[in-house]
Amino acid sequence: DARVTQTPRHKVTEMGQEVTMRCQPILGHNTVFWYRQTMMQGLELLAYFRNRAPLDDSGMPKDRFSAEMPDATLATLKIQPSEPRDSAVYFCASEKLEANTGELFFGEGSRLTVL
Amino acid sequence: GEDVEQSLFLSVREGDSSVINCTYTDSSSTYLYWYKQEPGAGLQLLTYIFSNMDMKQDQRLTVLLNKKDKHLSLRIADTQTGDSAIYFCAERGRAGNTGKLIFGQGTTLQVKP
């Protein structure tokens, strides 16, 4: 059945290392969101794309984070260099805008731990 | 700016009703949502309501919307242990149904047997 797929599910890395998280949105969905979830801040929107074009990345620390959609089937979120405060669960979600329900379909998340 | 506020925790006994409350700031929101997050999983849409409605019922779920007070609530009747999860209220941003989704902090619902 159709679902949003995220890799890796878990990542433990050391401070200063580069981290890349990947997301495969549901086929035919034209809007992709990246959210970060922590106990302290809750769910924060980092960036989102429509038809592969970035619409809003104001929630993303620009100096170390970057988000791209190289093609319609792949969205990436990269952190370079990573810091302990980046430890969180990162969720990707996709939406078919024409469905007009506003329903976002979430992946299971990538849990990042930066030591 | 846009903001969504929820209480952080609610504990109920199995069989009781649960009411989770939410306030939002964007009066132009056309859609308001309730999402559920089970442990270790992503969020799933539970239900949504259009801003021109004041109530929506779906089996054990009842959503009430008070536009004047910008208050949204989710009532779960006959709460079960399987309802234990985090519940997120969300609104669309100012661009109507094409804008970004703004989530509250989430309310953790604990259901005691």
Side-chain angles (χ1 to χ4, degrees):
Chain A
D1 59 329
R3 63 179 72 183
V4 174
T5 305
Q6 289 186 246
T7 57
R9 290 295 314 281
H10 301 275
K11 175 76 175 177
V12 180
T13 191
E14 291 187 344
M15 184 173 67
Q17 296 297 304
E18 178 180 300
V19 175
T20 299
M21 289 168 275
R22 293 177 174 80
C23 168
Q24 182 176 359
I26 292 173
L27 192 63
H29 284 197
N30 58 355
T31 308
V32 175
F33 299 80
W34 281 105
Y35 285 91
R36 175 171 65 183
Q37 185 177 34
T38 60
M39 289 291 290
M40 294 300 294
Q41 300 295 330
L43 205 58
E44 301 172 278
L45 177 66
L46 296 175
Y48 77 109
F49 294 78
R50 181 154 298 135
N51 297 322
R52 296 176 55 202
L55 280 194
D56 186 346
D57 61 1
S58 58
M60 205 164 66
K62 301 289 189 307
D63 56 338
R64 299 183 300 106
F65 283 60
S66 61
E68 294 179 347
M69 276 201 78
D71 62 60
T73 64
L74 177 64
T76 62
L77 180 67
K78 188 177 294 186
I79 309 173
Q80 168 62 20
S82 58
E83 296 181 2
R85 59 180 166 150
D86 301 329
S87 298
V89 181
Y90 290 81
F91 287 103
C92 174
S94 71
E95 176 189 21
K96 185 173 182 179
L97 189 61
E98 294 77 20
N100 209 32
T101 62
E103 179 174 5
L104 269 60
F105 291 81
F106 280 77
E108 293 189 317
S110 293
R111 181 176 292 276
L112 174 65
T113 302
V114 184
L115 303 175
Chain B
E2 303 137 339
D3 197 16
V4 179
E5 299 279 339
Q6 298 177 241
S7 53
L8 295 182
F9 186 78
L10 176 66
S11 180
V12 301
R13 293 216 171 271
E14 194 174 17
D16 287 351
S17 290
S18 307
V19 179
I20 302 171
N21 294 301
C22 168
T23 56
Y24 60 97
T25 56
D26 187 355
S27 57
S28 65
S29 292
T30 52
Y31 296 79
L32 293 141
Y33 306 87
W34 285 104
Y35 278 78
K36 177 182 180 183
Q37 184 182 28
E38 295 184 353
L43 282 68
Q44 281 191 300
L45 181 67
L46 260 187
T47 186
Y48 65 94
I49 188 167
F50 293 111
S51 59
N52 62 357
M53 299 168 66
D54 51 22
M55 187 180 89
K56 179 178 180 180
Q57 189 148 3
D58 183 1
Q59 299 182 330
R60 292 189 299 120
L61 305 179
T62 304
V63 178
L64 295 178
L65 174 60
N66 181 328
K67 278 197 77 174
K68 175 174 166 290
D69 295 338
K70 296 182 197 148
H71 182 266
L72 184 73
S73 69
L74 173 70
R75 179 176 179 271
I76 306 173
D78 187 25
T79 313
Q80 303 297 306
T81 53
D83 295 325
S84 294
I86 304 176
Y87 291 81
F88 290 89
C89 170
E91 63 168 353
R92 273 294 188 185
R94 292 182 183 277
N97 70 328
T98 62
K100 57 190 178 186
L101 213 59
I102 308 296
F103 286 90
Q105 312 96 300
T107 300
T108 298
L109 175 64
Q110 180 189 64
V111 182
K112 296 178 181 175

